């Protein structure tokens, strides 16, 4: 299981580092999606909404690859993954299988560091 988590961490880190950098450097050509997904991405791009998203992807991916602050990397990437799932679930279903794979990788890495999140499950905070 430890090897599985290690491979999942490297894959997840590589995916987010590459696609986050691609948001800035455009080295992987991607045609714009059609329909409402294209309109959404166009608005997000023009408004510069995607800049912090790409920064979060690069930061989270780099932290995972460096094996430093892995719980922080998971916290940074969690909302990005939710947005990816929602985007593909509602607007561009052709990308949904990859979104599910990324979610499974995230969950696998999370299972290895879940003790770091033990405090958020406390019903009452200690003063």
């Amino acid at each position: 299981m430890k090897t599985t988590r290690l491979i999942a961490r490297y894959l997840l880190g590589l995916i987010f580092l590459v696609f986050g950098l691609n948001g800035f450097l455009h080295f992987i050509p991607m045609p714009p999606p059609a329909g409402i997904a294209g309109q959404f991405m166009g608005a997000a791009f023009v408004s510069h909404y995607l800049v912090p998203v790409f920064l979060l992807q690069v930061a989270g991916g780099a932290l995972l690859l460096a094996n430093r602050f892995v719980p922080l990397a998971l916290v940074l990437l969690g909302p990005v993954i939710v947005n990816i799932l929602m985007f593909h679930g509602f607007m561009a279903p052709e990308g949904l299988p990859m979104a599910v794979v990324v979610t499974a990788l995230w969950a696998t890495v999370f299972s290895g560091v879940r003790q770091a999140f033990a405090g958020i499950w406390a019903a009452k905070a200690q003063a």
Side-chain angles (χ1 to χ4, degrees):
M1 194 63 170
K2 189 173 183 179
T3 305
T4 304
R5 290 183 187 130
L6 180 70
I7 291 170
R9 182 173 53 81
Y10 280 130
L11 282 174
L12 190 64
L14 189 63
I15 288 169
F16 277 107
L17 184 65
V18 168
F19 284 101
L21 287 174
N22 187 54
F24 295 114
L25 304 175
H26 309 290
F27 53 86
I28 302 172
M30 289 193 223
I36 195 161
Q39 293 173 355
F40 178 82
M41 289 303 292
F45 183 77
V46 169
S47 67
H48 302 288
Y49 176 84
L50 292 176
V51 171
V53 174
F54 293 140
L55 286 173
L56 287 171
Q57 289 180 6
V58 169
L63 288 173
L64 288 174
L65 289 174
N67 195 26
R68 302 303 246 168
F69 304 103
V70 172
L72 174 63
L74 293 177
V75 167
L76 293 176
L77 294 176
V80 175
I81 293 172
V82 169
N83 278 297
I84 291 170
L85 281 169
M86 301 291 273
F87 175 80
H88 288 294
F90 292 118
M91 293 184 266
E94 61 275 1
L96 193 57
M98 184 62 175
V100 171
V101 168
V102 167
T103 304
L105 290 172
W106 185 94
T108 303
V109 176
F110 176 82
S111 71
V113 295
R114 65 183 175 271
Q115 289 299 330
F117 297 94
I120 66 170
W121 301 111
K124 293 186 178 185
Q126 298 205 2

